Amino acid sequence: MRQRQLTEEPQNQDIRALTLDTALRLFTEKGFFNTSMQDIRKDADVSIGSIYHYFKSKESLAQALYHDLVGRFEKAVEEIMLRHGSTHDRARAVTLFLLEMAENSPQGIQFLFCAKHREFLPCEKPICASRPFELIRDIVATGIERGELCELNPVVATASLFGGVIRLIHLKLDGALEGSLPDYFDQIWQCAWASVT
Amino acid sequence: MRQRQLTEEPQNQDIRALTLDTALRLFTEKGFFNTSMQDIRKDADVSIGSIYHYFKSKESLAQALYHDLVGRFEKAVEEIMLRHGSTHDRARAVTLFLLEMAENSPQGIQFLFCAKHREFLPCEKPICASRPFELIRDIVATGIERGELCELNPVVATASLFGGVIRLIHLKLDGALEGSLPDYFDQIWQCAWASVT
DNA sequence: GTCTATACCTGGATAGAC
DNA sequence: GTCTATCCAGGTATAGAC
């Protein structure tokens, strides 16, 4: 894993990065299966040969994208756990992070939260079994143990605490919500916190 | 629309219904794009010719499925609105309905809530703009007007009230939740209601 | 109305020049 | 490392017999 990155990264990153950017945009706009390698080629203005030089298949391109995004999300959650101690502050920071990410890089969050990866990355675990989601469940489980949240099944508590924001993000991405997402932070966070205390 | 149904329905419904059932199963198991008409043909044990006799294309097959499911969901919400008057009872009944449907016909709910229809039904509105979802937002909006829910943006309130259940259903379908969904009804409903009052 | 055989085409991936 | 040209599998949809 880390080794693969080492052998790939010393190469010229321009085309690789450009391809990733373009693919993310097209995958989220039209979906993985509606996006052909030719579409990516055209939009990125590079050749098919170059793309296949950096990625051995369309699937591995999607996988690189996915791992990159999951990794960034994981890092963000880890930082939040270091910076904040109480369950309240941690969950609040995660909520804010999600809203800001959805506003600033909607494609990233759409690919992470709304795409059905299993359909084009059959070897991948479901997203909710990935590391960052585990960390979030840990935050909640710890909160229940410490008595900072009320006694609930941890999965139910997590769904309740973050289901609202995630749903709100879905609605925004589908065009059902006006205005900017972070504007709703106070409202949605207040609801979420009230639901588990 | 109604006319098309009239011309189609007098025919032998066995193959049509069998095709729809099989398609729903395969679409939810493997995804629309990973399911070929040949796959449906094999699993339903009918011929390609027969399928194309009832559905003019793969897309129209998916559309029939989708309209059927949206229609059933809409009818369920309408009945709930007739049977119950208060916002509390209405939202509670919708929550219970969702959990029971997810338990009894997981494929139906998965196709309705988790599939990305726009990718294979490009002319369809986003699911959250469909009639049953509008009805649910109406329930919430009315609740706010009547003072049965606290003053919130209606979309935020809806996300908060139903985001938890929807998230829980996602988690269950992804295998992240043990046990049967309706068992968690009390917990999740209590959280949801507390979040908006 | 149901079937088989097949036409047609898109799209992923490769070969090989530069 | 980057490109163009091309191969080939697989999938949708149709034609036409029964």
Side-chain angles (χ1 to χ4, degrees):
Chain A
M1 183 68 147
R2 179 134 299 178
Q3 278 187 338
R4 186 151 53 98
Q5 284 183 355
L6 279 173
T7 58
E8 277 178 7
E9 291 196 352
Q11 297 168 340
N12 178 352
Q13 289 303 293
D14 289 352
I15 288 189
R16 188 184 148 89
L18 186 60
T19 304
L20 283 170
D21 279 1
T22 308
L24 175 60
R25 187 166 52 75
L26 291 176
F27 287 167
T28 50
E29 275 172 12
K30 318 199 302 173
F32 177 82
F33 293 101
N34 290 321
T35 303
S36 70
M37 293 299 262
Q38 296 293 342
D39 292 336
I40 299 173
R41 181 198 69 77
K42 269 181 270 175
D43 269 39
D45 199 35
V46 295
S47 71
I48 284 282
S50 290
I51 298 181
Y52 277 99
H53 176 74
Y54 290 101
F55 306 97
K56 78 167 204 292
S57 66
K58 187 185 177 186
E59 183 180 321
S60 94
L61 171 51
Q63 196 161 50
L65 223 39
Y66 183 68
H67 284 159
D68 181 38
L69 286 164
V70 171
R72 272 195 265 171
F73 184 31
E74 181 183 342
K75 213 176 135 194
V77 177
E78 277 171 352
E79 273 178 25
I80 284 170
M81 289 178 78
L82 286 177
R83 206 191 316 277
H84 302 281
S86 75
T87 305
H88 173 278
D89 292 354
R90 285 173 168 180
R92 188 177 185 278
V94 168
T95 302
L96 187 57
F97 170 79
L98 289 175
L99 289 175
E100 279 173 350
M101 179 169 172
E103 192 67 26
N104 300 329
S105 61
Q107 287 158 349
I109 207 132
Q110 194 169 347
F111 194 75
L112 254 192
F113 282 72
C114 310
K116 309 204 69 194
H117 316 97
R118 308 294 297 283
E119 288 185 7
F120 49 90
L121 299 175
C123 300
E124 219 52 61
K125 298 180 290 189
I127 178 83
C128 63
S130 67
R131 188 85 185 106
F133 281 84
E134 277 178 6
L135 289 175
I136 289 178
R137 268 196 296 279
D138 284 349
I139 291 177
V140 174
T142 306
I144 296 173
E145 282 169 28
R146 289 187 193 158
E148 295 174 83
L149 304 179
C150 60
E151 294 239 351
L152 288 164
N153 174 299
V155 178
V156 175
T158 309
S160 188
L161 192 49
F162 297 103
V165 215
I166 293 175
R167 183 81 195 137
L168 202 66
I169 290 170
H170 271 99
L171 291 168
K172 170 68 178 181
L173 292 173
D174 273 354
L177 180 69
E178 309 285 308
S180 111
L181 275 170
D183 290 349
Y184 297 104
F185 171 67
D186 286 334
Q187 282 188 40
I188 198 73
W189 168 245
Q190 206 180 331
C191 292
W193 187 248
S195 78
V196 290
T197 48
Chain B
M1 183 68 149
R2 177 133 300 176
Q3 278 185 340
R4 186 152 53 97
Q5 284 184 355
L6 279 173
T7 58
E8 277 179 7
E9 291 198 350
Q11 298 169 341
N12 178 351
Q13 288 304 292
D14 290 351
I15 288 189
R16 188 185 148 87
L18 185 60
T19 304
L20 282 170
D21 280 1
T22 308
L24 175 60
R25 186 165 52 74
L26 291 176
F27 287 168
T28 51
E29 276 172 12
K30 317 199 303 173
F32 177 83
F33 294 101
N34 290 320
T35 302
S36 71
M37 293 298 261
Q38 296 293 343
D39 293 335
I40 299 173
R41 181 198 70 76
K42 269 180 269 176
D43 269 39
D45 199 34
V46 295
S47 71
I48 283 281
S50 290
I51 298 181
Y52 277 98
H53 175 74
Y54 290 102
F55 306 97
K56 79 167 203 292
S57 66
K58 186 185 177 187
E59 183 180 321
S60 94
L61 170 51
Q63 196 160 51
L65 224 39
Y66 182 68
H67 284 160
D68 181 38
L69 286 165
V70 171
R72 272 195 266 171
F73 184 31
E74 180 183 343
K75 212 175 136 194
V77 177
E78 277 170 353
E79 273 178 26
I80 284 170
M81 291 179 77
L82 286 178
R83 205 190 318 274
H84 303 280
S86 74
T87 305
H88 173 277
D89 292 355
R90 284 172 169 181
R92 187 176 184 279
V94 169
T95 301
L96 187 57
F97 171 79
L98 289 175
L99 290 175
E100 279 172 351
M101 180 169 171
E103 192 67 27
N104 300 329
S105 61
Q107 287 158 350
I109 208 132
Q110 193 169 347
F111 194 75
L112 255 190
F113 281 72
C114 310
K116 309 204 66 193
H117 316 96
R118 308 293 297 282
E119 289 185 7
F120 49 90
L121 300 175
C123 301
E124 220 50 64
K125 299 180 289 189
I127 178 84
C128 63
S130 68
R131 188 84 185 108
F133 281 84
E134 276 178 6
L135 289 176
I136 289 178
R137 268 196 295 280
D138 285 349
I139 292 177
V140 173
T142 305
I144 296 172
E145 282 170 28
R146 290 187 192 157
E148 296 174 82
L149 304 179
C150 60
E151 294 239 351
L152 289 163
N153 174 299
V155 178
V156 177
T158 310
S160 188
L161 191 49
F162 296 103
V165 215
I166 293 174
R167 183 79 196 139
L168 202 66
I169 290 170
H170 271 98
L171 290 169
K172 168 72 178 181
L173 293 173
D174 273 353
L177 180 70
E178 308 285 307
S180 111
L181 274 169
D183 290 349
Y184 297 103
F185 171 67
D186 286 334
Q187 283 189 39
I188 197 73
W189 168 246
Q190 207 180 331
C191 292
W193 187 248
S195 77
V196 290
T197 48

